[in-house]
Amino acid sequence: MLCPAFQPTDDAVMKSVYLATREATEKWSMPFRNWGIILNQFLTIYEKRVRL
C-alpha cells in the first residue's frame, strides 16, 4: 500500500503505462478493438499530458 502523501510525477505515470503496454503488446495476437475511439478519449481527457 502506498503512503497517503505519495504523489507520482507525470513522468513516473507515463513510464509505468509505457512499460505495462510494452509488456502487454508482446502477448497480443489481434489489434485492440476501437483503439481510435479510445485514443481520442485519452487525448480529450488528458490533452496536456498525452504527447504523440
Short mmCIF file of all heavy atoms in Angstrom, two decimals:
data_model
loop_
_atom_site.label_atom_id
_atom_site.label_comp_id
_atom_site.label_asym_id
_atom_site.label_seq_id
_atom_site.Cartn_x
_atom_site.Cartn_y
_atom_site.Cartn_z
N MET A 1 0.84 -1.18 0.00
CA MET A 1 0.00 0.00 0.00
C MET A 1 0.88 1.24 0.00
O MET A 1 1.88 1.31 0.69
CB MET A 1 -0.92 -0.03 1.21
CG MET A 1 -1.86 1.11 1.26
SD MET A 1 -3.09 0.79 2.53
CE MET A 1 -4.39 1.74 1.89
N LEU A 2 0.50 2.22 -0.80
CA LEU A 2 1.28 3.44 -0.91
C LEU A 2 1.01 4.37 0.26
O LEU A 2 -0.06 4.38 0.85
CB LEU A 2 0.93 4.18 -2.19
CG LEU A 2 1.27 3.46 -3.49
CD1 LEU A 2 0.76 4.28 -4.67
CD2 LEU A 2 2.75 3.25 -3.61
N CYS A 3 2.01 5.14 0.58
CA CYS A 3 1.88 6.16 1.61
C CYS A 3 0.85 7.19 1.14
O CYS A 3 0.87 7.59 -0.03
CB CYS A 3 3.24 6.81 1.82
SG CYS A 3 3.22 8.18 2.98
N PRO A 4 -0.06 7.64 2.00
CA PRO A 4 -1.09 8.60 1.58
C PRO A 4 -0.52 9.89 1.00
O PRO A 4 -1.14 10.53 0.18
CB PRO A 4 -1.87 8.90 2.86
CG PRO A 4 -1.57 7.79 3.78
CD PRO A 4 -0.22 7.25 3.39
N ALA A 5 0.69 10.28 1.39
CA ALA A 5 1.28 11.52 0.90
C ALA A 5 2.01 11.32 -0.43
O ALA A 5 2.46 12.28 -1.02
CB ALA A 5 2.25 12.07 1.94
N PHE A 6 2.11 10.09 -0.89
CA PHE A 6 2.84 9.80 -2.13
C PHE A 6 2.03 10.24 -3.34
O PHE A 6 0.90 9.84 -3.52
CB PHE A 6 3.15 8.31 -2.23
CG PHE A 6 3.83 7.93 -3.51
CD1 PHE A 6 5.17 8.23 -3.71
CD2 PHE A 6 3.14 7.28 -4.51
CE1 PHE A 6 5.80 7.88 -4.88
CE2 PHE A 6 3.76 6.93 -5.69
CZ PHE A 6 5.10 7.23 -5.87
N GLN A 7 2.63 11.08 -4.18
CA GLN A 7 2.01 11.53 -5.43
C GLN A 7 3.01 11.29 -6.55
O GLN A 7 4.03 11.97 -6.62
CB GLN A 7 1.66 13.02 -5.35
CG GLN A 7 0.59 13.35 -4.35
CD GLN A 7 -0.76 12.77 -4.74
OE1 GLN A 7 -1.12 12.72 -5.90
NE2 GLN A 7 -1.51 12.32 -3.77
N PRO A 8 2.73 10.32 -7.44
CA PRO A 8 3.68 10.07 -8.52
C PRO A 8 3.72 11.24 -9.51
O PRO A 8 2.73 11.92 -9.72
CB PRO A 8 3.12 8.82 -9.20
CG PRO A 8 1.68 8.79 -8.84
CD PRO A 8 1.57 9.46 -7.50
N THR A 9 4.87 11.45 -10.08
CA THR A 9 5.00 12.52 -11.08
C THR A 9 4.39 12.05 -12.39
O THR A 9 4.16 10.86 -12.60
CB THR A 9 6.49 12.85 -11.32
OG1 THR A 9 7.13 11.70 -11.86
CG2 THR A 9 7.17 13.30 -10.03
N ASP A 10 4.13 12.99 -13.28
CA ASP A 10 3.60 12.65 -14.60
C ASP A 10 4.54 11.72 -15.34
O ASP A 10 4.11 10.77 -16.00
CB ASP A 10 3.36 13.91 -15.43
CG ASP A 10 2.16 14.72 -14.95
OD1 ASP A 10 1.37 14.19 -14.14
OD2 ASP A 10 2.01 15.86 -15.41
N ASP A 11 5.84 11.98 -15.22
CA ASP A 11 6.82 11.13 -15.90
C ASP A 11 6.79 9.70 -15.36
O ASP A 11 6.91 8.74 -16.13
CB ASP A 11 8.23 11.69 -15.76
CG ASP A 11 8.44 12.93 -16.61
OD1 ASP A 11 7.70 13.12 -17.60
OD2 ASP A 11 9.36 13.70 -16.30
N ALA A 12 6.62 9.54 -14.05
CA ALA A 12 6.57 8.21 -13.45
C ALA A 12 5.33 7.45 -13.93
O ALA A 12 5.39 6.26 -14.23
CB ALA A 12 6.57 8.31 -11.93
N VAL A 13 4.22 8.15 -14.03
CA VAL A 13 2.98 7.52 -14.51
C VAL A 13 3.13 7.13 -15.97
O VAL A 13 2.77 6.00 -16.36
CB VAL A 13 1.77 8.46 -14.31
CG1 VAL A 13 0.53 7.89 -14.97
CG2 VAL A 13 1.53 8.69 -12.82
N MET A 14 3.68 8.02 -16.80
CA MET A 14 3.86 7.71 -18.21
C MET A 14 4.81 6.52 -18.40
O MET A 14 4.57 5.66 -19.24
CB MET A 14 4.41 8.93 -18.95
CG MET A 14 3.41 10.06 -19.10
SD MET A 14 1.97 9.61 -20.07
CE MET A 14 2.69 9.59 -21.70
N LYS A 15 5.85 6.45 -17.60
CA LYS A 15 6.79 5.33 -17.69
C LYS A 15 6.09 4.02 -17.31
O LYS A 15 6.28 3.01 -17.98
CB LYS A 15 8.00 5.57 -16.79
CG LYS A 15 9.05 4.50 -16.90
CD LYS A 15 10.26 4.83 -16.07
CE LYS A 15 11.33 3.76 -16.23
NZ LYS A 15 12.53 4.07 -15.44
N SER A 16 5.28 4.05 -16.28
CA SER A 16 4.55 2.85 -15.86
C SER A 16 3.58 2.38 -16.94
O SER A 16 3.50 1.19 -17.23
CB SER A 16 3.78 3.11 -14.57
OG SER A 16 4.66 3.36 -13.51
N VAL A 17 2.86 3.33 -17.53
CA VAL A 17 1.92 2.99 -18.59
C VAL A 17 2.67 2.44 -19.80
O VAL A 17 2.28 1.43 -20.39
CB VAL A 17 1.05 4.20 -18.98
CG1 VAL A 17 0.24 3.92 -20.24
CG2 VAL A 17 0.13 4.58 -17.83
N TYR A 18 3.77 3.09 -20.16
CA TYR A 18 4.58 2.63 -21.29
C TYR A 18 5.08 1.21 -21.08
O TYR A 18 4.96 0.35 -21.95
CB TYR A 18 5.75 3.59 -21.51
CG TYR A 18 6.77 3.05 -22.49
CD1 TYR A 18 6.53 3.06 -23.85
CD2 TYR A 18 7.97 2.49 -22.03
CE1 TYR A 18 7.45 2.56 -24.75
CE2 TYR A 18 8.90 1.98 -22.92
CZ TYR A 18 8.63 2.02 -24.28
OH TYR A 18 9.54 1.51 -25.15
N LEU A 19 5.65 0.95 -19.91
CA LEU A 19 6.20 -0.38 -19.63
C LEU A 19 5.11 -1.45 -19.59
O LEU A 19 5.30 -2.56 -20.09
CB LEU A 19 7.00 -0.36 -18.33
CG LEU A 19 8.28 0.45 -18.36
CD1 LEU A 19 8.90 0.55 -16.97
CD2 LEU A 19 9.27 -0.13 -19.36
N ALA A 20 3.96 -1.12 -19.00
CA ALA A 20 2.85 -2.08 -18.96
C ALA A 20 2.33 -2.37 -20.36
O ALA A 20 2.05 -3.53 -20.71
CB ALA A 20 1.73 -1.55 -18.07
N THR A 21 2.22 -1.33 -21.18
CA THR A 21 1.76 -1.52 -22.56
C THR A 21 2.76 -2.33 -23.36
O THR A 21 2.39 -3.22 -24.12
CB THR A 21 1.53 -0.15 -23.23
OG1 THR A 21 0.61 0.60 -22.45
CG2 THR A 21 1.00 -0.30 -24.63
N ARG A 22 4.02 -2.03 -23.18
CA ARG A 22 5.07 -2.77 -23.90
C ARG A 22 5.03 -4.26 -23.55
O ARG A 22 5.15 -5.11 -24.42
CB ARG A 22 6.43 -2.17 -23.53
CG ARG A 22 7.57 -2.75 -24.27
CD ARG A 22 8.82 -1.97 -23.95
NE ARG A 22 9.97 -2.79 -24.25
CZ ARG A 22 11.16 -2.62 -23.74
NH1 ARG A 22 11.36 -1.64 -22.90
NH2 ARG A 22 12.15 -3.39 -24.07
N GLU A 23 4.87 -4.56 -22.27
CA GLU A 23 4.79 -5.95 -21.84
C GLU A 23 3.53 -6.63 -22.38
O GLU A 23 3.57 -7.78 -22.83
CB GLU A 23 4.81 -6.03 -20.32
CG GLU A 23 4.84 -7.44 -19.78
CD GLU A 23 4.95 -7.48 -18.28
OE1 GLU A 23 5.62 -6.61 -17.69
OE2 GLU A 23 4.33 -8.38 -17.69
N ALA A 24 2.41 -5.92 -22.35
CA ALA A 24 1.15 -6.50 -22.81
C ALA A 24 1.14 -6.73 -24.31
O ALA A 24 0.57 -7.71 -24.79
CB ALA A 24 -0.02 -5.59 -22.42
N THR A 25 1.79 -5.84 -25.08
CA THR A 25 1.77 -5.99 -26.53
C THR A 25 2.50 -7.23 -27.01
O THR A 25 2.22 -7.74 -28.09
CB THR A 25 2.37 -4.76 -27.24
OG1 THR A 25 3.69 -4.53 -26.76
CG2 THR A 25 1.51 -3.53 -27.04
N GLU A 26 3.41 -7.75 -26.21
CA GLU A 26 4.10 -8.98 -26.57
C GLU A 26 3.13 -10.17 -26.60
O GLU A 26 3.37 -11.15 -27.29
CB GLU A 26 5.23 -9.25 -25.60
CG GLU A 26 6.36 -8.23 -25.70
CD GLU A 26 7.42 -8.44 -24.65
OE1 GLU A 26 7.32 -9.39 -23.85
OE2 GLU A 26 8.37 -7.64 -24.61
N LYS A 27 2.03 -10.06 -25.87
CA LYS A 27 1.05 -11.15 -25.78
C LYS A 27 -0.13 -10.96 -26.72
O LYS A 27 -0.91 -11.87 -26.91
CB LYS A 27 0.54 -11.26 -24.34
CG LYS A 27 1.64 -11.53 -23.34
CD LYS A 27 1.11 -11.50 -21.93
CE LYS A 27 2.26 -11.63 -20.95
NZ LYS A 27 1.81 -11.48 -19.58
N TRP A 28 -0.27 -9.78 -27.31
CA TRP A 28 -1.41 -9.51 -28.18
C TRP A 28 -1.28 -10.24 -29.49
O TRP A 28 -0.22 -10.24 -30.12
CB TRP A 28 -1.54 -8.02 -28.48
CG TRP A 28 -2.00 -7.19 -27.33
CD1 TRP A 28 -2.56 -7.63 -26.18
CD2 TRP A 28 -1.93 -5.77 -27.23
NE1 TRP A 28 -2.84 -6.58 -25.36
CE2 TRP A 28 -2.47 -5.43 -25.97
CE3 TRP A 28 -1.47 -4.78 -28.06
CZ2 TRP A 28 -2.56 -4.12 -25.55
CZ3 TRP A 28 -1.56 -3.48 -27.64
CH2 TRP A 28 -2.10 -3.15 -26.40
N SER A 29 -2.36 -10.86 -29.93
CA SER A 29 -2.35 -11.52 -31.23
C SER A 29 -3.32 -10.85 -32.20
O SER A 29 -3.30 -11.12 -33.38
CB SER A 29 -2.71 -13.00 -31.08
OG SER A 29 -3.99 -13.13 -30.51
N MET A 30 -4.17 -9.96 -31.68
CA MET A 30 -5.14 -9.26 -32.51
C MET A 30 -5.07 -7.76 -32.20
O MET A 30 -4.71 -7.39 -31.09
CB MET A 30 -6.56 -9.77 -32.22
CG MET A 30 -6.78 -11.20 -32.61
SD MET A 30 -8.44 -11.76 -32.22
CE MET A 30 -9.42 -10.66 -33.19
N PRO A 31 -5.44 -6.91 -33.15
CA PRO A 31 -5.48 -5.47 -32.87
C PRO A 31 -6.51 -5.14 -31.77
O PRO A 31 -7.49 -5.85 -31.61
CB PRO A 31 -5.91 -4.84 -34.19
CG PRO A 31 -5.81 -5.90 -35.21
CD PRO A 31 -5.82 -7.22 -34.51
N PHE A 32 -6.27 -4.08 -31.07
CA PHE A 32 -7.16 -3.65 -30.00
C PHE A 32 -8.40 -3.03 -30.62
O PHE A 32 -8.31 -2.09 -31.41
CB PHE A 32 -6.42 -2.65 -29.12
CG PHE A 32 -6.98 -2.47 -27.75
CD1 PHE A 32 -7.90 -3.33 -27.21
CD2 PHE A 32 -6.56 -1.41 -26.98
CE1 PHE A 32 -8.39 -3.15 -25.94
CE2 PHE A 32 -7.04 -1.21 -25.70
CZ PHE A 32 -7.96 -2.08 -25.19
N ARG A 33 -9.56 -3.56 -30.27
CA ARG A 33 -10.82 -3.05 -30.83
C ARG A 33 -11.08 -1.62 -30.40
O ARG A 33 -10.86 -1.25 -29.26
CB ARG A 33 -12.00 -3.90 -30.35
CG ARG A 33 -12.34 -5.01 -31.28
CD ARG A 33 -13.73 -5.48 -31.02
NE ARG A 33 -13.67 -6.66 -30.17
CZ ARG A 33 -14.72 -7.25 -29.64
NH1 ARG A 33 -15.91 -6.78 -29.82
NH2 ARG A 33 -14.57 -8.30 -28.90
N ASN A 34 -11.57 -0.82 -31.34
CA ASN A 34 -11.98 0.57 -31.08
C ASN A 34 -10.84 1.44 -30.54
O ASN A 34 -11.07 2.39 -29.81
CB ASN A 34 -13.16 0.61 -30.10
CG ASN A 34 -14.37 -0.11 -30.63
OD1 ASN A 34 -14.67 -0.05 -31.82
ND2 ASN A 34 -15.05 -0.83 -29.78
N TRP A 35 -9.61 1.11 -30.91
CA TRP A 35 -8.47 1.87 -30.39
C TRP A 35 -8.55 3.34 -30.78
O TRP A 35 -8.20 4.22 -29.99
CB TRP A 35 -7.15 1.27 -30.88
CG TRP A 35 -5.99 2.06 -30.39
CD1 TRP A 35 -5.11 2.78 -31.14
CD2 TRP A 35 -5.60 2.28 -29.03
NE1 TRP A 35 -4.20 3.41 -30.35
CE2 TRP A 35 -4.48 3.12 -29.04
CE3 TRP A 35 -6.09 1.85 -27.80
CZ2 TRP A 35 -3.83 3.54 -27.88
CZ3 TRP A 35 -5.45 2.27 -26.65
CH2 TRP A 35 -4.33 3.10 -26.69
N GLY A 36 -9.03 3.65 -31.97
CA GLY A 36 -9.14 5.04 -32.39
C GLY A 36 -10.06 5.84 -31.48
O GLY A 36 -9.75 6.97 -31.10
N ILE A 37 -11.18 5.25 -31.10
CA ILE A 37 -12.12 5.91 -30.20
C ILE A 37 -11.48 6.11 -28.82
O ILE A 37 -11.58 7.18 -28.22
CB ILE A 37 -13.42 5.08 -30.08
CG1 ILE A 37 -14.14 5.05 -31.43
CG2 ILE A 37 -14.33 5.64 -28.98
CD1 ILE A 37 -15.29 4.06 -31.48
N ILE A 38 -10.82 5.06 -28.33
CA ILE A 38 -10.18 5.14 -27.01
C ILE A 38 -9.08 6.19 -27.02
O ILE A 38 -8.98 7.00 -26.09
CB ILE A 38 -9.63 3.76 -26.62
CG1 ILE A 38 -10.78 2.77 -26.44
CG2 ILE A 38 -8.78 3.84 -25.37
CD1 ILE A 38 -10.37 1.33 -26.36
N LEU A 39 -8.26 6.20 -28.06
CA LEU A 39 -7.18 7.19 -28.15
C LEU A 39 -7.74 8.61 -28.18
O LEU A 39 -7.22 9.50 -27.50
CB LEU A 39 -6.32 6.92 -29.38
CG LEU A 39 -5.13 7.83 -29.58
CD1 LEU A 39 -4.19 7.78 -28.38
CD2 LEU A 39 -4.39 7.45 -30.85
N ASN A 40 -8.81 8.83 -28.92
CA ASN A 40 -9.43 10.16 -28.95
C ASN A 40 -9.94 10.57 -27.58
O ASN A 40 -9.84 11.74 -27.19
CB ASN A 40 -10.56 10.20 -29.97
CG ASN A 40 -10.04 10.29 -31.39
OD1 ASN A 40 -8.98 10.83 -31.62
ND2 ASN A 40 -10.80 9.75 -32.32
N GLN A 41 -10.48 9.62 -26.82
CA GLN A 41 -10.94 9.94 -25.47
C GLN A 41 -9.77 10.30 -24.57
O GLN A 41 -9.84 11.26 -23.79
CB GLN A 41 -11.72 8.76 -24.89
CG GLN A 41 -13.06 8.57 -25.55
CD GLN A 41 -13.79 7.33 -25.05
OE1 GLN A 41 -13.27 6.53 -24.30
NE2 GLN A 41 -15.04 7.20 -25.48
N PHE A 42 -8.67 9.54 -24.65
CA PHE A 42 -7.47 9.88 -23.88
C PHE A 42 -6.97 11.27 -24.24
O PHE A 42 -6.61 12.06 -23.36
CB PHE A 42 -6.35 8.88 -24.12
CG PHE A 42 -6.47 7.60 -23.33
CD1 PHE A 42 -6.14 6.40 -23.91
CD2 PHE A 42 -6.87 7.61 -22.01
CE1 PHE A 42 -6.22 5.22 -23.20
CE2 PHE A 42 -6.96 6.44 -21.29
CZ PHE A 42 -6.64 5.24 -21.88
N LEU A 43 -6.94 11.57 -25.52
CA LEU A 43 -6.45 12.88 -25.96
C LEU A 43 -7.35 14.01 -25.48
O LEU A 43 -6.88 15.10 -25.18
CB LEU A 43 -6.32 12.91 -27.48
CG LEU A 43 -5.22 12.03 -28.07
CD1 LEU A 43 -5.32 12.02 -29.59
CD2 LEU A 43 -3.86 12.49 -27.61
N THR A 44 -8.64 13.76 -25.40
CA THR A 44 -9.58 14.77 -24.91
C THR A 44 -9.45 14.97 -23.41
O THR A 44 -9.37 16.10 -22.92
CB THR A 44 -11.03 14.37 -25.25
OG1 THR A 44 -11.14 14.23 -26.66
CG2 THR A 44 -12.02 15.42 -24.77
N ILE A 45 -9.40 13.87 -22.67
CA ILE A 45 -9.35 13.95 -21.20
C ILE A 45 -7.99 14.44 -20.72
O ILE A 45 -7.90 15.25 -19.80
CB ILE A 45 -9.68 12.57 -20.59
CG1 ILE A 45 -11.12 12.18 -20.92
CG2 ILE A 45 -9.46 12.58 -19.09
CD1 ILE A 45 -11.47 10.74 -20.61
N TYR A 46 -6.92 13.92 -21.33
CA TYR A 46 -5.56 14.22 -20.87
C TYR A 46 -4.78 15.01 -21.91
O TYR A 46 -3.60 14.75 -22.15
CB TYR A 46 -4.82 12.91 -20.55
CG TYR A 46 -5.52 12.06 -19.53
CD1 TYR A 46 -6.15 10.88 -19.90
CD2 TYR A 46 -5.57 12.43 -18.19
CE1 TYR A 46 -6.80 10.09 -18.97
CE2 TYR A 46 -6.21 11.66 -17.26
CZ TYR A 46 -6.82 10.49 -17.65
OH TYR A 46 -7.46 9.71 -16.73
N GLU A 47 -5.41 16.00 -22.51
CA GLU A 47 -4.79 16.71 -23.62
C GLU A 47 -3.44 17.33 -23.27
O GLU A 47 -2.57 17.42 -24.13
CB GLU A 47 -5.73 17.77 -24.18
CG GLU A 47 -6.05 18.89 -23.20
CD GLU A 47 -7.04 19.86 -23.80
OE1 GLU A 47 -6.67 20.53 -24.77
OE2 GLU A 47 -8.16 19.91 -23.30
N LYS A 48 -3.25 17.74 -22.04
CA LYS A 48 -1.98 18.36 -21.67
C LYS A 48 -0.93 17.34 -21.28
O LYS A 48 0.24 17.66 -21.15
CB LYS A 48 -2.19 19.35 -20.52
CG LYS A 48 -3.03 20.53 -20.92
CD LYS A 48 -3.23 21.49 -19.80
CE LYS A 48 -4.12 22.64 -20.25
NZ LYS A 48 -4.40 23.56 -19.18
N ARG A 49 -1.33 16.09 -21.07
CA ARG A 49 -0.40 15.07 -20.62
C ARG A 49 0.02 14.10 -21.72
O ARG A 49 1.10 13.52 -21.64
CB ARG A 49 -1.01 14.23 -19.50
CG ARG A 49 -1.23 15.03 -18.24
CD ARG A 49 -1.76 14.12 -17.17
NE ARG A 49 -1.93 14.82 -15.93
CZ ARG A 49 -2.07 14.23 -14.77
NH1 ARG A 49 -2.09 12.93 -14.70
NH2 ARG A 49 -2.22 14.94 -13.69
N VAL A 50 -0.80 13.90 -22.73
CA VAL A 50 -0.51 12.91 -23.77
C VAL A 50 0.19 13.60 -24.92
O VAL A 50 -0.27 14.60 -25.44
CB VAL A 50 -1.80 12.24 -24.26
CG1 VAL A 50 -1.51 11.29 -25.41
CG2 VAL A 50 -2.50 11.52 -23.14
N ARG A 51 1.33 13.04 -25.30
CA ARG A 51 2.08 13.55 -26.45
C ARG A 51 2.21 12.41 -27.45
O ARG A 51 2.61 11.32 -27.11
CB ARG A 51 3.46 14.00 -26.03
CG ARG A 51 3.44 15.27 -25.21
CD ARG A 51 4.79 15.52 -24.66
NE ARG A 51 4.92 14.62 -23.49
CZ ARG A 51 5.94 14.59 -22.67
NH1 ARG A 51 6.96 15.37 -22.88
NH2 ARG A 51 5.99 13.77 -21.66
N LEU A 52 1.87 12.69 -28.70
CA LEU A 52 2.01 11.68 -29.75
C LEU A 52 3.12 12.07 -30.69
O LEU A 52 3.42 13.16 -30.94
CB LEU A 52 0.70 11.52 -30.54
CG LEU A 52 -0.48 10.99 -29.75
CD1 LEU A 52 -1.70 10.94 -30.64
CD2 LEU A 52 -0.17 9.62 -29.21
#
